[in-house]
Amino acid sequence: EPGAGSDLASLATRAERDGDHWIVNGQKVWTSGAHKARWAILVARTDPDVPKHRGLTYFLCDMTDPGVEVRPLRQITGEAEFNEVFLTDVRIPDSLRLGEVGEGWRVATATLMNERVAIGSGSDPGRESGMIGVVARTWRQRPELRTPELHARLMRLWVEAEVARQTGRRLRQKLAAGQPGPEGSAAKLTFARLAQQLSGLELELLGAEGLRYGDWTMKRPEVVEFTGKDAGYRYLRAKGNSIEGGTSEILRNIIAERVLGLPPEPRTDKDVPWKDLPR
Ligand SMILES: Cc1cc2nc3c(=O)[nH]c(=O)nc-3n(C[C@H](O)[C@H](O)[C@H](O)COP(=O)(O)OP(=O)(O)OC[C@H]3O[C@@H](n4cnc5c(N)ncnc54)[C@H](O)[C@@H]3O)c2cc1C
């Protein structure tokens, strides 16, 4: 939401019970794919009188409801993958509630942990695939671009990409056996760093040629595709990797607290009713 990004639990979209339905009012933002989605997942506040994490409920939302309005948000790449979504008296049947009333945070956390694994290591098309594959191909095809310094950087990133791929395989095996743990946050953090470093290296490799940018007219892509586009697109799109699915700062906090067991950030709002929190 505009006022609840990293601090998702402070969200303000309200769902009020009306018989066997819920009436939802509020606004969401950065909703990827909302313009083509038939269904959305939606977390709404059902009880403002309890602390923020406890008053949330998780729903499936029919995007064809007349109260749902979707507006494009254009990104630095020129594309509009995501949207603002305005919800005005949207009616959701109680049968489309996922989990118990007030248990939305638990369901949302499971969703987010799965999302981080999906972004960080969702699939394995094989060694030297994805961004490292693109850069390695440019390196092989364009020997005139090489310098010893760029070679050292490419080799280091190649090894890191391979370690990340192998770690992702292990993570998916664990996932198949149960719920993903906070390790998914580490996979997503590493993915974002590698994507940004590799796309930066590709631009440096290509020099002035890397500044060329094919088409900046607004498009509504069906899928987010890194390969098969300009190096400039990859460089710009990779910037969002350290924001989407939880920023790198938030992921470092999760790893610090849940993997390394370091002291948590001070949280003064944990036991305060949501309605009394400053916004
Ligand atoms: C390409 C893309 C697709 C997205 N798709 C979706 C989607 O489909 N659905 C959806 O709900 N959202 C989506 N998002 C939104 C994304 O989840 C949020 O942008 C993200 O969680 C950060 O929230 P925010 O933008 O409100 O930034 P803020 O939370 O305002 O953060 C601003 C800055 O402060 C830092 N910060 C905040 N809190 C802390 C803290 N406690 N400690 C240290 N640093 C902190 C952040 O790291 C960041 O650098 C998408 C974003 C992008 C870029």
Side-chain angles (χ1 to χ4, degrees):
E1 293 192 4
S6 300
D7 184 16
L8 178 65
S10 68
L11 61 83
T13 292
R14 279 285 274 135
E16 286 170 288
R17 189 119 200 192
D18 179 24
D20 58 359
H21 277 73
W22 295 83
I23 310 294
V24 180
N25 282 286
Q27 186 196 340
K28 302 287 176 178
V29 73
W30 317 131
T31 314
S32 299
H35 51 288
K36 55 181 188 209
R38 171 73 168 80
W39 295 96
I41 53 176
L42 173 95
V43 191
R45 185 153 311 275
T46 44
D47 187 353
D49 296 325
V50 294
K52 59 180 184 178
H53 291 91
R54 282 188 243 147
L56 302 171
T57 304
Y58 197 107
F59 298 96
L60 306 180
C61 175
D62 182 348
M63 295 295 279
T64 63
D65 186 289
V68 176
E69 186 193 346
V70 176
R71 296 188 199 158
L73 279 174
R74 200 166 180 204
Q75 295 151 240
I76 194 173
T77 56
E79 296 186 334
E81 288 165 37
F82 49 40
N83 306 269
E84 294 180 290
V85 178
F86 297 86
L87 305 152
T88 311
D89 292 333
V90 174
R91 284 178 69 78
I92 300 184
D94 190 52
S95 58
L96 290 180
R97 168 169 51 79
L98 197 61
E100 298 302 316
V101 175
E103 288 287 314
W105 183 249
R106 209 157 60 86
V107 188
T109 306
T111 311
L112 286 168
M113 286 199 295
N114 276 285
E115 183 185 30
R116 284 164 195 162
V117 175
I119 296 175
S121 60
S123 64
D124 179 12
R127 178 178 280 194
E128 209 181 275
S129 55
M131 197 76 97
I132 183 64
V134 175
V135 184
R137 203 160 43 247
T138 304
W139 178 265
R140 292 195 183 99
Q141 288 168 353
R142 306 285 303 273
E144 75 281 8
L145 302 171
R146 298 175 189 173
T147 68
E149 190 264 338
L150 290 174
H151 183 247
R153 271 169 62 195
L154 177 65
M155 289 309 293
R156 186 172 52 76
L157 290 171
W158 196 98
V159 171
E160 287 184 31
E162 182 56 15
V163 171
R165 185 179 76 89
Q166 296 289 356
T167 309
R169 288 178 68 182
R170 201 171 53 203
L171 193 60
R172 283 192 304 280
Q173 282 164 8
K174 281 178 75 173
L175 188 62
Q179 181 143 327
E183 303 91 328
S185 297
K188 202 256 151 177
L189 182 66
T190 305
F191 162 78
R193 180 178 59 77
L194 279 173
Q196 290 175 356
Q197 290 181 343
L198 280 164
S199 58
L201 177 64
E202 188 187 13
L203 274 203
E204 282 187 61
L205 253 177
L206 291 170
E209 206 185 301
L211 299 177
R212 213 174 47 202
Y213 204 82
D215 179 10
W216 210 75
T217 52
M218 188 177 99
K219 284 189 285 302
R220 302 286 258 164
E222 281 298 308
V223 286
V224 181
E225 183 55 81
F226 269 53
T227 49
K229 290 196 172 162
D230 288 340
Y233 172 87
R234 281 188 280 280
Y235 180 76
L236 294 178
R237 181 58 185 81
K239 298 294 173 205
N241 291 153
S242 54
I243 304 173
E244 61 194 316
T247 69
S248 291
E249 290 76 22
I250 293 300
L251 299 183
R252 285 192 187 95
N253 279 349
I254 293 172
I255 293 163
E257 292 176 24
R258 306 221 7 235
V259 180
L260 303 176
L262 296 175
E265 281 198 313
R267 290 187 180 100
T268 51
D269 56 3
K270 234 173 68 182
D271 301 313
V272 183
W274 176 82
K275 67 175 179 1
D276 298 333
L277 294 176
R279 271 189 301 285

